[in-house]
Amino acid sequence: MTLRNLYGNPPCVADNYQLIVDTLTDWGITLYTGVTGGGVIHLLKHLKPFDDLPSNEPAFLTLGEYSAGFVPLGYYLASGKIAAAVATTGAATRLITCGLSDAKLHDIPAVFIVPVSGSNTIGFSPLQDTSVYGSNTIAQLRAELGEAVFVLNDPFSLTTQLAQAKAMLDRSKPVVLVLDNEAVGSPLMEYTMPMAEEERSVEDDFLDAFVSTFRKTVDDKRVVLLVGEEMARYRHAKQLTTQLCEQLQAAAIWSINGANAVSQDNPYGYGYISFGGNDKAMSLFNSLGAQDVLLVLGACPDEYTINFSGFNAAHTFFLGNISEAYGLVENSLRHVATGGYDHVYGPLDILLGALIDAGQRYPFTNRPMAKAPADLNDRPFATPREGYVNMATLYQRLNKWWPVHSLGIDDVCLAYKDRQYVTQRPNDNIDFYSLYRGSAMGGAFGAAVGAKLADPDRPVFLFTGDGCFRLFSGSLGEVSQLGIIIFLLNNESLSIVEQGLEKVLPGIAAPHYHARVAAIDYCAIARACGWEAARLQPDLSNLGELLHRIEMDGQRSLLIEIPVDHQQELGQNPRLKNL
């Protein structure tokens, strides 16, 4: 590694901060986002402002810390590439690490860079004191991430620590680089980077043993695939899951993000499961028992996926390639499976390919299942009151329109429960993601920004609510020229809460839900921040015009306000039983 040309006028003197930037650049990290401050100025002086799309050189985009913390998540989901979020001490660190929590919960590799007070200031009450006498920042970070927190306080071990951080990223873990500026700011040491570990190959005898065990286990049993979000990280995931379902005549159900690994044309696709889940998928999952084998493809048994119910099949195979992924306990899901259990560790495309090839040579003898019906729901869609958009109709119209190679993100609003219930199946033109495990309101905006920065030519759509809007609206101005499209659901309510409490607290008056949101002019706010803005008419009479506008417009971002009836309940929320 050689130190790169230094930015600035006059140029900065090479130091350990430059070493950090150069190292991350060698890892393919060129996007940094956040807010400058006293603790990070010596790092950021080595980064040019983010002005051009895309930027192949290390560059920094100024964006409010809360939103910035989610940018690396969207960046990775859109491209498979890693980005960094940067914040100074105090509240800035806490704001940016809201995104860190969702990165952990969704096994997304990302870099978070924060400083701490100098060791010589301990006991002298420094501003935004991060020591044990103040916020005790390092202990807080380690309580959440453990060994993925790297305190850079020794220039002699800096390269070793960075190599260890890279190993964590390679395992799909977020990392925190904590800057001790007294140490990092010391003179540059000679350094060499440790060699990266080679990726382990999957041996043929291992695959043969897996296929043999699977073949014996599924004999005369139904096979059901539960497709999770890890599977969606593989390029040909949709083809592989379709081929396997067709060969085994096995049904597929999927998590919210696992849908991105399932084709809309998979004839055995029974739908989304649990939160916003389809009725046929839920009936199938609840019927699993002594005559069934469940094949879990990188799915986490989180509350929104199985709602604490466990895997009740006679035998469960879990396939995954992320060691110690979120949801695993002692690197296993044995605690979730009530029957037999096999944990198969390896690249999912190779494992599915082995099953497909084996089945082509010698068909499996599992019980075939019927193909999925056209309609995956049993209930008719509720209708809104007069003066509001029928969201079921809107989701259906959009589902027929999405441009090819689009990306959508659902914020913590009604859309992340209702959209999938209405559309029922994935759409091969668009991938939809939700950072639902942390369910941080407004975080999806930062993820949408990251997705757009990763691939500026890719259409990016965000469904958000009027409550969520309050957490990111201050950052609209910085991304007014990115071309992001926001569908803002305005129902003057925290509707996920309000709809739920009508069932959980039926005897309590609605004002005591504390779920009302003040009416404000969202379009005016967006325009004041340099965005285009429009209001969708309740009868959808201007929808075609707005969609044409999206197709024709260039870089300018657009907010579309949608009048929504909070009483129009579409998708189900099984979590209410736990409250």
Side-chain angles (χ1 to χ4, degrees), residues 151-162 164:
V151 181
L152 307 183
N153 57 3
D154 179 3
F156 292 96
S157 63
L158 181 56
T159 56
T160 298
Q161 287 181 295
L162 292 176
Q164 292 169 343

mmCIF file with all atom_site columns, all heavy atoms in Angstrom, residues 151-162 164:
data_model
loop_
_atom_site.group_PDB
_atom_site.id
_atom_site.type_symbol
_atom_site.label_atom_id
_atom_site.label_alt_id
_atom_site.label_comp_id
_atom_site.label_asym_id
_atom_site.label_entity_id
_atom_site.label_seq_id
_atom_site.pdbx_PDB_ins_code
_atom_site.Cartn_x
_atom_site.Cartn_y
_atom_site.Cartn_z
_atom_site.occupancy
_atom_site.B_iso_or_equiv
_atom_site.pdbx_formal_charge
_atom_site.auth_seq_id
_atom_site.auth_comp_id
_atom_site.auth_asym_id
_atom_site.auth_atom_id
_atom_site.pdbx_PDB_model_num
ATOM 1   N N   . VAL A 1 151 ? -10.741 0.363  19.397 1.00 0.00 ? 151 VAL A N   1
ATOM 2   C CA  . VAL A 1 151 ? -10.257 1.632  19.922 1.00 0.00 ? 151 VAL A CA  1
ATOM 3   C C   . VAL A 1 151 ? -8.853  1.860  19.371 1.00 0.00 ? 151 VAL A C   1
ATOM 4   O O   . VAL A 1 151 ? -7.899  1.159  19.731 1.00 0.00 ? 151 VAL A O   1
ATOM 5   C CB  . VAL A 1 151 ? -10.245 1.637  21.460 1.00 0.00 ? 151 VAL A CB  1
ATOM 6   C CG1 . VAL A 1 151 ? -9.767  2.992  21.978 1.00 0.00 ? 151 VAL A CG1 1
ATOM 7   C CG2 . VAL A 1 151 ? -11.635 1.310  22.000 1.00 0.00 ? 151 VAL A CG2 1
ATOM 8   N N   . LEU A 1 152 ? -8.734  2.813  18.486 1.00 0.00 ? 152 LEU A N   1
ATOM 9   C CA  . LEU A 1 152 ? -7.461  3.078  17.813 1.00 0.00 ? 152 LEU A CA  1
ATOM 10  C C   . LEU A 1 152 ? -6.641  4.022  18.693 1.00 0.00 ? 152 LEU A C   1
ATOM 11  O O   . LEU A 1 152 ? -6.638  5.234  18.519 1.00 0.00 ? 152 LEU A O   1
ATOM 12  C CB  . LEU A 1 152 ? -7.713  3.677  16.429 1.00 0.00 ? 152 LEU A CB  1
ATOM 13  C CG  . LEU A 1 152 ? -8.672  2.882  15.520 1.00 0.00 ? 152 LEU A CG  1
ATOM 14  C CD1 . LEU A 1 152 ? -8.791  3.537  14.155 1.00 0.00 ? 152 LEU A CD1 1
ATOM 15  C CD2 . LEU A 1 152 ? -8.226  1.429  15.394 1.00 0.00 ? 152 LEU A CD2 1
ATOM 16  N N   . ASN A 1 153 ? -5.940  3.432  19.652 1.00 0.00 ? 153 ASN A N   1
ATOM 17  C CA  . ASN A 1 153 ? -5.198  4.236  20.628 1.00 0.00 ? 153 ASN A CA  1
ATOM 18  C C   . ASN A 1 153 ? -3.721  3.887  20.682 1.00 0.00 ? 153 ASN A C   1
ATOM 19  O O   . ASN A 1 153 ? -3.021  4.257  21.622 1.00 0.00 ? 153 ASN A O   1
ATOM 20  C CB  . ASN A 1 153 ? -5.811  4.086  22.019 1.00 0.00 ? 153 ASN A CB  1
ATOM 21  C CG  . ASN A 1 153 ? -5.853  2.638  22.483 1.00 0.00 ? 153 ASN A CG  1
ATOM 22  O OD1 . ASN A 1 153 ? -5.369  1.741  21.794 1.00 0.00 ? 153 ASN A OD1 1
ATOM 23  N ND2 . ASN A 1 153 ? -6.436  2.413  23.646 1.00 0.00 ? 153 ASN A ND2 1
ATOM 24  N N   . ASP A 1 154 ? -3.239  3.139  19.694 1.00 0.00 ? 154 ASP A N   1
ATOM 25  C CA  . ASP A 1 154 ? -1.824  2.751  19.660 1.00 0.00 ? 154 ASP A CA  1
ATOM 26  C C   . ASP A 1 154 ? -1.363  2.710  18.212 1.00 0.00 ? 154 ASP A C   1
ATOM 27  O O   . ASP A 1 154 ? -1.765  1.815  17.458 1.00 0.00 ? 154 ASP A O   1
ATOM 28  C CB  . ASP A 1 154 ? -1.643  1.382  20.316 1.00 0.00 ? 154 ASP A CB  1
ATOM 29  C CG  . ASP A 1 154 ? -0.185  0.912  20.301 1.00 0.00 ? 154 ASP A CG  1
ATOM 30  O OD1 . ASP A 1 154 ? 0.688   1.679  19.832 1.00 0.00 ? 154 ASP A OD1 1
ATOM 31  O OD2 . ASP A 1 154 ? 0.071   -0.229 20.733 1.00 0.00 ? 154 ASP A OD2 1
ATOM 32  N N   . PRO A 1 155 ? -0.559  3.664  17.785 1.00 0.00 ? 155 PRO A N   1
ATOM 33  C CA  . PRO A 1 155 ? -0.129  3.680  16.374 1.00 0.00 ? 155 PRO A CA  1
ATOM 34  C C   . PRO A 1 155 ? 0.629   2.428  15.968 1.00 0.00 ? 155 PRO A C   1
ATOM 35  O O   . PRO A 1 155 ? 0.639   2.063  14.786 1.00 0.00 ? 155 PRO A O   1
ATOM 36  C CB  . PRO A 1 155 ? 0.767   4.931  16.294 1.00 0.00 ? 155 PRO A CB  1
ATOM 37  C CG  . PRO A 1 155 ? 1.149   5.231  17.707 1.00 0.00 ? 155 PRO A CG  1
ATOM 38  C CD  . PRO A 1 155 ? 0.018   4.777  18.560 1.00 0.00 ? 155 PRO A CD  1
ATOM 39  N N   . PHE A 1 156 ? 1.251   1.726  16.918 1.00 0.00 ? 156 PHE A N   1
ATOM 40  C CA  . PHE A 1 156 ? 2.006   0.529  16.583 1.00 0.00 ? 156 PHE A CA  1
ATOM 41  C C   . PHE A 1 156 ? 1.093   -0.663 16.253 1.00 0.00 ? 156 PHE A C   1
ATOM 42  O O   . PHE A 1 156 ? 1.503   -1.597 15.579 1.00 0.00 ? 156 PHE A O   1
ATOM 43  C CB  . PHE A 1 156 ? 2.955   0.154  17.731 1.00 0.00 ? 156 PHE A CB  1
ATOM 44  C CG  . PHE A 1 156 ? 4.070   1.127  17.927 1.00 0.00 ? 156 PHE A CG  1
ATOM 45  C CD1 . PHE A 1 156 ? 3.973   2.134  18.879 1.00 0.00 ? 156 PHE A CD1 1
ATOM 46  C CD2 . PHE A 1 156 ? 5.222   1.075  17.136 1.00 0.00 ? 156 PHE A CD2 1
ATOM 47  C CE1 . PHE A 1 156 ? 4.997   3.054  19.058 1.00 0.00 ? 156 PHE A CE1 1
ATOM 48  C CE2 . PHE A 1 156 ? 6.245   1.992  17.310 1.00 0.00 ? 156 PHE A CE2 1
ATOM 49  C CZ  . PHE A 1 156 ? 6.140   2.986  18.270 1.00 0.00 ? 156 PHE A CZ  1
ATOM 50  N N   . SER A 1 157 ? -0.133  -0.630 16.764 1.00 0.00 ? 157 SER A N   1
ATOM 51  C CA  . SER A 1 157 ? -1.064  -1.733 16.493 1.00 0.00 ? 157 SER A CA  1
ATOM 52  C C   . SER A 1 157 ? -2.188  -1.330 15.534 1.00 0.00 ? 157 SER A C   1
ATOM 53  O O   . SER A 1 157 ? -3.131  -2.089 15.318 1.00 0.00 ? 157 SER A O   1
ATOM 54  C CB  . SER A 1 157 ? -1.674  -2.239 17.797 1.00 0.00 ? 157 SER A CB  1
ATOM 55  O OG  . SER A 1 157 ? -2.438  -1.214 18.425 1.00 0.00 ? 157 SER A OG  1
ATOM 56  N N   . LEU A 1 158 ? -2.065  -0.141 14.954 1.00 0.00 ? 158 LEU A N   1
ATOM 57  C CA  . LEU A 1 158 ? -3.142  0.390  14.117 1.00 0.00 ? 158 LEU A CA  1
ATOM 58  C C   . LEU A 1 158 ? -3.456  -0.519 12.937 1.00 0.00 ? 158 LEU A C   1
ATOM 59  O O   . LEU A 1 158 ? -4.617  -0.848 12.671 1.00 0.00 ? 158 LEU A O   1
ATOM 60  C CB  . LEU A 1 158 ? -2.776  1.796  13.632 1.00 0.00 ? 158 LEU A CB  1
ATOM 61  C CG  . LEU A 1 158 ? -3.806  2.524  12.767 1.00 0.00 ? 158 LEU A CG  1
ATOM 62  C CD1 . LEU A 1 158 ? -5.145  2.630  13.481 1.00 0.00 ? 158 LEU A CD1 1
ATOM 63  C CD2 . LEU A 1 158 ? -3.291  3.919  12.390 1.00 0.00 ? 158 LEU A CD2 1
ATOM 64  N N   . THR A 1 159 ? -2.434  -0.940 12.208 1.00 0.00 ? 159 THR A N   1
ATOM 65  C CA  . THR A 1 159 ? -2.689  -1.772 11.031 1.00 0.00 ? 159 THR A CA  1
ATOM 66  C C   . THR A 1 159 ? -3.260  -3.131 11.414 1.00 0.00 ? 159 THR A C   1
ATOM 67  O O   . THR A 1 159 ? -4.106  -3.683 10.708 1.00 0.00 ? 159 THR A O   1
ATOM 68  C CB  . THR A 1 159 ? -1.404  -1.964 10.206 1.00 0.00 ? 159 THR A CB  1
ATOM 69  O OG1 . THR A 1 159 ? -0.380  -2.525 11.047 1.00 0.00 ? 159 THR A OG1 1
ATOM 70  C CG2 . THR A 1 159 ? -0.922  -0.642 9.642  1.00 0.00 ? 159 THR A CG2 1
ATOM 71  N N   . THR A 1 160 ? -2.815  -3.656 12.523 1.00 0.00 ? 160 THR A N   1
ATOM 72  C CA  . THR A 1 160 ? -3.365  -4.940 12.982 1.00 0.00 ? 160 THR A CA  1
ATOM 73  C C   . THR A 1 160 ? -4.839  -4.796 13.332 1.00 0.00 ? 160 THR A C   1
ATOM 74  O O   . THR A 1 160 ? -5.667  -5.651 12.985 1.00 0.00 ? 160 THR A O   1
ATOM 75  C CB  . THR A 1 160 ? -2.588  -5.442 14.203 1.00 0.00 ? 160 THR A CB  1
ATOM 76  O OG1 . THR A 1 160 ? -1.221  -5.658 13.841 1.00 0.00 ? 160 THR A OG1 1
ATOM 77  C CG2 . THR A 1 160 ? -3.183  -6.747 14.721 1.00 0.00 ? 160 THR A CG2 1
ATOM 78  N N   . GLN A 1 161 ? -5.178  -3.713 14.023 1.00 0.00 ? 161 GLN A N   1
ATOM 79  C CA  . GLN A 1 161 ? -6.580  -3.489 14.379 1.00 0.00 ? 161 GLN A CA  1
ATOM 80  C C   . GLN A 1 161 ? -7.447  -3.298 13.130 1.00 0.00 ? 161 GLN A C   1
ATOM 81  O O   . GLN A 1 161 ? -8.577  -3.811 13.061 1.00 0.00 ? 161 GLN A O   1
ATOM 82  C CB  . GLN A 1 161 ? -6.708  -2.265 15.281 1.00 0.00 ? 161 GLN A CB  1
ATOM 83  C CG  . GLN A 1 161 ? -6.202  -2.483 16.701 1.00 0.00 ? 161 GLN A CG  1
ATOM 84  C CD  . GLN A 1 161 ? -6.380  -1.237 17.544 1.00 0.00 ? 161 GLN A CD  1
ATOM 85  O OE1 . GLN A 1 161 ? -5.761  -0.198 17.287 1.00 0.00 ? 161 GLN A OE1 1
ATOM 86  N NE2 . GLN A 1 161 ? -7.234  -1.316 18.544 1.00 0.00 ? 161 GLN A NE2 1
ATOM 87  N N   . LEU A 1 162 ? -6.925  -2.583 12.155 1.00 0.00 ? 162 LEU A N   1
ATOM 88  C CA  . LEU A 1 162 ? -7.698  -2.386 10.925 1.00 0.00 ? 162 LEU A CA  1
ATOM 89  C C   . LEU A 1 162 ? -7.901  -3.710 10.193 1.00 0.00 ? 162 LEU A C   1
ATOM 90  O O   . LEU A 1 162 ? -8.977  -3.959 9.636  1.00 0.00 ? 162 LEU A O   1
ATOM 91  C CB  . LEU A 1 162 ? -6.994  -1.367 10.023 1.00 0.00 ? 162 LEU A CB  1
ATOM 92  C CG  . LEU A 1 162 ? -6.975  0.079  10.543 1.00 0.00 ? 162 LEU A CG  1
ATOM 93  C CD1 . LEU A 1 162 ? -6.164  0.975  9.610  1.00 0.00 ? 162 LEU A CD1 1
ATOM 94  C CD2 . LEU A 1 162 ? -8.392  0.629  10.697 1.00 0.00 ? 162 LEU A CD2 1
ATOM 95  N N   . GLN A 1 164 ? -8.141  -6.598 11.626 1.00 0.00 ? 164 GLN A N   1
ATOM 96  C CA  . GLN A 1 164 ? -9.161  -7.306 12.397 1.00 0.00 ? 164 GLN A CA  1
ATOM 97  C C   . GLN A 1 164 ? -10.553 -6.757 12.084 1.00 0.00 ? 164 GLN A C   1
ATOM 98  O O   . GLN A 1 164 ? -11.525 -7.519 12.012 1.00 0.00 ? 164 GLN A O   1
ATOM 99  C CB  . GLN A 1 164 ? -8.852  -7.182 13.888 1.00 0.00 ? 164 GLN A CB  1
ATOM 100 C CG  . GLN A 1 164 ? -7.602  -7.926 14.323 1.00 0.00 ? 164 GLN A CG  1
ATOM 101 C CD  . GLN A 1 164 ? -7.182  -7.578 15.741 1.00 0.00 ? 164 GLN A CD  1
ATOM 102 O OE1 . GLN A 1 164 ? -7.613  -6.569 16.305 1.00 0.00 ? 164 GLN A OE1 1
ATOM 103 N NE2 . GLN A 1 164 ? -6.327  -8.410 16.324 1.00 0.00 ? 164 GLN A NE2 1
#
